[in-house]
Amino acid sequence: MAAVLPLADLKRQAAPNNWINSIIKGDCVAALEALPDHSVDAIFADPPYNLQLGGALHRPDQSLVDAVDNDWDQFASFQVYDAFTRAWLLACRRVLKPQGTIWVIGSYHNIFRVGSIMQDLNFWLLNDIVWRKTNPMPNFKGRRFQNAHETMIWASRDAKGKSYTFNYDALKASNDDVQMRSDWLFPICSGGERLKGDDGKKVHPTQKPEALLARVIMASTKPGDVILDPFFGSGTTGAVAKRLGRNFVGIEREQDYIDAASARIEAVEPLGKAELTVLTGKKAEPRVAFTTLLEAGLLKPGQVLSDARRRVSAIIRADGTLAANGEAGSIHRLGAKVQGLDACNGWTFWHFSEGEKLRPIDDLRAIIRTELSDIG
Ligand SMILES: C[S@@+](CC[C@H](N)C(=O)[O-])C[C@H]1O[C@@H](n2cnc3c(N)ncnc32)[C@H](O)[C@@H]1O
């Protein structure tokens, strides 16, 4: 079974990382208070919806709809719900690393209140993702549109948090080389994935689909990151995090859900390192200055570079700039100038001679990048 930590066993700040890959039993605000500052890389939160159901809901054949009427979803008023939301979001913000991001999922009942409080607390909204359900429940009374989606708000810890993880290139490559959009299509959790008790009933009324969590985690975390879920429920975040080589910490107050989540996570086999390597694009590669090629002895001051057809040439100066026809500048600026263009990628435009052949200086940059990645 995955480890379960009673809240009392957590010692703030001084604690070793005994809470990583465990489920903390207790109220999430109190449990978050016991975790160290800036200790998690990402948060996925699926808070109570505050559905405000006015009594039991029946289908036209009078059978009872399995709606969320649990105690944990009951709040006396919007004010009480807002105060609770503010408290857990504030506690999450302290625990989140400065470059970390948070996801909060909700329905029309709560997501607008949650989003407004997030902005008040200085989270910086990055996207709202619409999870369109392929198999939503019908609107039994026929008095409204069928409610066929939930919304996920994705936000960085604050406005300056520009270096958050977003695996843009991997997402694009996995989407037929087209940018991943903010509307995602997944079925609700059903079939073999849905946890059921011995009585055949659902273990948890709002178990989220693993595919949804997989995309969230693949998009915004790296292998080895710690993902916190303050409303752990049946442990979907933990199960997917473990499979994808990430760490998790879950907080949940209901013992039945903790038991189910713990057994579920225990049964998960993590994928191997090769399967988990994340595709990165050019933007993610380390920046290399042209002068580094001189410092590394790959090019020399006085050496001549030319374009691929040897129509223009320039001399390398000791300060890492190029000069041609009385003009001087960076590899990009001079490349643009000699072609009469506004911009130019100097790395692919300028070539050096190797015997009879010409090779782009980008090949030399690749050598430096390989050396840098070997170090790091
Ligand atoms: C919407 S469900 C989360 C379902 C989960 N994402 C899953 O896939 O199973 C919300 C969960 O938060 C728990 N919860 C509600 N209020 C809580 C609180 N104050 N502290 C800790 N857990 C709480 C509930 O018991 C419930 O399991």
Side-chain angles (χ1 to χ4, degrees):
M1 305 284 265
V4 178
L5 265 184
L7 183 48
D9 286 3
L10 272 179
K11 302 249 185 300
R12 186 164 175 186
Q13 310 296 358
N17 292 345
N18 62 346
W19 46 273
I20 293 181
N21 293 323
S22 60
I23 308 169
I24 303 167
K25 181 176 179 187
D27 172 70
C28 65
V29 179
L32 284 162
E33 283 298 314
L35 294 179
D37 292 354
H38 305 163
S39 53
V40 305
D41 299 283
I43 296 174
F44 179 83
D46 182 9
Y49 295 82
N50 189 22
L51 283 189
Q52 313 131 41
L53 291 178
L57 187 60
H58 292 91
R59 297 187 181 85
D61 66 2
Q62 292 312 307
S63 59
L64 194 63
V65 175
D66 190 11
V68 182
D69 56 359
N70 309 67
D71 287 349
W72 56 258
D73 203 47
Q74 310 300 324
F75 293 82
S77 62
F78 282 138
Q79 285 73 17
V80 174
Y81 185 78
D82 290 354
F84 168 67
T85 303
R86 192 167 284 108
W88 72 258
L89 277 170
L90 200 57
C92 278
R93 195 157 183 276
R94 182 186 60 76
V95 167
L96 190 58
K97 289 183 183 172
Q99 70 277 23
T101 58
I102 180 170
W103 296 78
V104 187
I105 186 166
S107 61
Y108 68 87
H109 308 87
N110 66 334
I111 200 68
F112 300 105
R113 311 191 81 80
V114 169
S116 151
I117 293 169
M118 287 175 81
Q119 288 186 314
D120 289 348
L121 295 180
N122 290 329
F123 285 104
W124 188 254
L125 305 199
L126 298 168
N127 276 117
D128 62 327
I129 301 289
V130 173
W131 165 30
R132 243 186 87 202
K133 303 175 181 180
T134 54
N135 51 351
M137 210 160 63
N139 180 271
F140 293 109
K141 290 187 179 160
R143 305 268 303 152
R144 302 184 188 186
F145 295 101
Q146 183 181 30
N147 184 21
H149 74 276
E150 289 188 34
T151 301
M152 286 190 291
I153 295 176
W154 182 42
S156 59
R157 191 180 175 280
D158 48 40
K160 291 197 194 102
K162 301 267 186 274
S163 55
Y164 57 84
T165 299
F166 181 47
N167 298 319
Y168 172 84
D169 294 289
L171 285 165
K172 186 172 170 185
S174 71
N175 192 39
D176 266 351
D177 283 328
V178 177
Q179 269 193 355
M180 187 65 80
R181 293 160 46 119
S182 61
D183 46 349
W184 301 358
L185 201 62
F186 291 114
I188 59 170
C189 182
S190 58
E193 191 183 315
R194 187 93 209 195
L195 302 188
K196 302 251 172 68
D198 294 338
D199 56 3
K201 289 194 178 144
K202 293 174 193 165
V203 166
H204 197 288
T206 67
Q207 182 181 336
K208 294 296 172 293
E210 294 198 359
L212 184 77
L213 264 296
R215 187 172 295 172
V216 162
I217 289 174
M218 290 307 289
S220 60
T221 69
K222 299 191 277 293
D225 278 359
V226 178
I227 305 161
L228 166 82
D229 184 336
F231 303 100
F232 207 50
S234 65
T236 312
T237 304
V240 179
K242 183 176 173 190
R243 182 160 59 80
L244 296 178
R246 276 72 169 171
N247 299 293
F248 70 91
V249 51
I251 307 171
E252 174 57 58
R253 58 182 194 191
E254 306 284 334
Q255 189 62 50
D256 290 352
Y257 298 156
I258 291 176
D259 292 344
S262 174
R264 177 185 186 186
I265 293 165
E266 187 61 27
V268 170
E269 271 303 315
L271 292 171
K273 198 167 172 228
E275 296 97 288
L276 288 174
T277 303
V278 178
L279 179 93
T280 54
K282 289 210 180 307
K283 268 191 255 165
E285 288 178 329
R287 221 178 135 74
V288 175
F290 177 66
T291 192
T292 309
L293 306 190
L294 307 187
E295 289 153 6
L298 295 172
L299 292 174
K300 291 192 169 48
Q303 197 171 335
V304 173
L305 301 180
S306 68
D307 71 312
R309 296 195 185 161
R310 300 183 199 270
R311 285 186 300 200
V312 287
S313 59
I315 189 166
I316 302 175
R317 303 201 304 195
D319 63 358
T321 57
L322 300 187
N325 310 331
E327 303 274 358
S330 70
I331 52 170
H332 308 297
R333 185 157 307 175
L334 196 72
K337 191 95 194 161
V338 296
Q339 297 178 86
L341 299 174
D342 288 339
C344 156
N345 179 348
W347 291 108
T348 50
F349 178 72
W350 294 109
H351 290 62
F352 65 100
S353 303
E354 197 176 62
E356 295 293 295
K357 283 191 180 162
L358 284 179
R359 283 178 58 193
I361 58 172
D362 209 20
D363 289 359
L364 302 175
R365 179 169 67 159
I367 294 172
I368 302 281
R369 279 185 167 154
T370 308
E371 284 170 5
L372 288 174
S373 66
D374 287 347
I375 300 165

